[in-house]
Amino acid sequence: MSPDDGPPQGGASHEHGVRASGRTAVTPAGPRAWGWRAYLRLLRPHQWVKNGFVFLGLLFGHAWSDPVKLGQALAAFAAFCLLASAVYVMNDLIDREQDRLHPKKKLRPLVTGAVSVGGACALGAACLVAGGIIARLWAGSAPWIFVAYVALNVGYSFGLKHVVILDVFIIAAGFMLRILAGTLGLDIAPSQWLLLCGLMLTLFLGFAKRSAELLALPEDSAGHRRVLEHYTAPMLDQFISIVAAGTVISYALYTVSAETVALHGTRGLIATVPFVLYGMLRYLWRLHRHGGGGDPAQELLTDPHLLAASAGWLLLVLFLLGGVTIR
């Protein structure tokens, strides 16, 4: 995984020179040099890829050709992007002292001083208001889902993230709300299989994230995130094994179930299972051999194997649901 980009370690707030060996060494500039890029990084736009979960309802509900539902799904995606960014800003404000102990998070704009506390508060509030307006007016018929998402994350940030195991279930719940926004919110009945597969996959990503954090900070992990003192590497390996197996098995059963075959008119979805299995094994390999797994969005966007597996899965699903029958 590529390291979190940002200002050089130390995050000096103003450019200044010091005399060393007859030459002037210049410390890299802080807030003014970053400018708008610091505020953009605070929003973490690469994380918006997670909001693609809202499109699963269109895909598996055969509603991608409905312009009304497509517009609502795009609005839901935009609303989640803004609300998620507001949550990230809130988390960074709350955790900025603990983030100083993390080898990558210490480079975040609030920690280095590239963005002031007042500027972060204003940006977060603007995202929250804009996301709420979009969710209420254009993102379908279930605005309560977006309210629940914000409330869930507020509870997480102010204490629930310290409750072992429940912390990961709350992370997974955020993804499940995205799926519901793209199904119930668009008047598409959510498949029980879809919800089960989504739950297993997001639990897998959540426990992998905790494992990556524990591996990155073996000596002072609790100093950065208090809940890590309740986890051990063998315990997390067991949790990951359980939910990884649950993800693959539940998805495989979904592809061959009578309900799925009747809905989609094809038995061919079983052919997409190898992409899912390869992607998960690749993710586990990066977790254990490359120190990855801490940021699913970053892993997806930077690893060509994960990108290829995801693209292959999506293209094959579109191909099969578009009318191709495999008997």
Side-chain angles (χ1 to χ4, degrees):
M1 182 175 67
S2 302
D4 194 12
D5 57 349
Q9 186 171 338
S13 59
H14 295 285
E15 186 174 299
H16 63 279
V18 295
R19 185 68 58 179
S21 302
R23 304 177 64 183
T24 299
V26 178
T27 303
R32 291 183 181 179
W34 278 35
W36 62 269
R37 291 189 297 273
Y39 287 88
L40 182 62
R41 285 194 63 237
L42 190 61
L43 298 178
R44 299 185 216 173
H46 73 281
Q47 298 285 2
W48 294 347
V49 68
K50 299 176 182 178
N51 301 320
F53 275 71
V54 303
F55 297 112
L56 291 178
L58 291 180
L59 180 62
F60 290 101
H62 294 268
W64 55 79
S65 59
D66 186 328
V68 174
K69 285 184 169 51
L70 177 59
Q72 291 174 333
L74 289 171
F77 176 82
F80 270 118
C81 288
L82 290 166
L83 295 176
S85 288
V87 168
Y88 292 137
V89 173
M90 176 184 66
N91 286 336
D92 283 1
L93 284 166
I94 296 172
D95 295 339
R96 60 187 184 277
E97 293 303 321
Q98 292 88 338
D99 287 346
R100 298 183 194 278
L101 304 175
H102 195 279
K104 294 176 182 177
K105 293 180 181 180
K106 67 183 179 183
L107 301 178
R108 286 178 173 173
L110 270 170
V111 179
T112 63
V115 175
S116 67
V117 171
C121 289
L123 181 62
C127 288
L128 182 63
V129 172
I133 291 173
I134 294 174
R136 179 66 181 87
L137 298 180
W138 300 294
S141 58
W144 63 266
I145 293 174
F146 300 91
V147 175
Y149 174 80
V150 174
L152 187 73
N153 279 281
V154 169
Y156 177 85
S157 297
F158 284 95
L160 294 180
K161 64 183 178 183
H162 303 309
V163 183
V164 65
I165 300 179
L166 179 62
D167 63 321
V168 175
F169 270 81
I170 292 176
I171 294 174
F175 286 96
M176 300 305 293
L177 287 172
R178 291 173 171 91
I179 295 176
L180 290 177
T183 52
L184 285 179
L186 307 185
D187 298 319
I188 299 172
S191 165
Q192 293 179 344
W193 284 108
L194 177 64
L195 296 178
L196 177 61
C197 293
L199 175 63
M200 289 295 167
L201 175 61
T202 53
L203 286 175
F204 167 78
L205 296 174
F207 284 122
K209 177 179 175 67
R210 289 292 181 262
S211 180
E213 291 171 336
L214 197 63
L215 292 172
L217 298 164
E219 296 181 357
D220 191 24
S221 57
H224 166 65
R225 191 182 293 277
R226 194 193 315 165
V227 74
L228 292 178
E229 67 181 347
H230 301 294
Y231 288 113
T232 64
M235 178 196 304
L236 285 167
D237 285 341
Q238 288 186 344
F239 290 169
I240 292 170
S241 296
I242 291 171
V243 293
T247 301
V248 175
I249 292 172
S250 60
Y251 181 74
L253 290 175
Y254 160 71
T255 63
V256 298
S257 72
E259 176 186 350
T260 301
V261 173
L263 175 63
H264 302 304
T266 177
R267 298 179 183 275
L269 282 176
I270 187 67
T272 65
V273 172
F275 289 100
V276 174
L277 183 57
Y278 181 84
M280 296 194 68
L281 293 177
R282 175 72 182 186
Y283 199 90
L284 286 172
W285 179 80
R286 288 187 61 83
L287 172 66
H288 290 287
R289 296 301 299 271
H290 278 258
D295 187 339
Q298 189 77 8
E299 296 295 327
L300 176 62
L301 294 174
T302 58
D303 185 82
H305 291 261
L306 288 175
L307 273 173
S310 301
W313 174 85
L314 180 59
L315 290 174
L316 185 54
V317 168
L318 289 171
F319 180 69
L320 293 169
L321 299 190
V324 175
T325 303
I326 297 179
R327 297 185 181 278

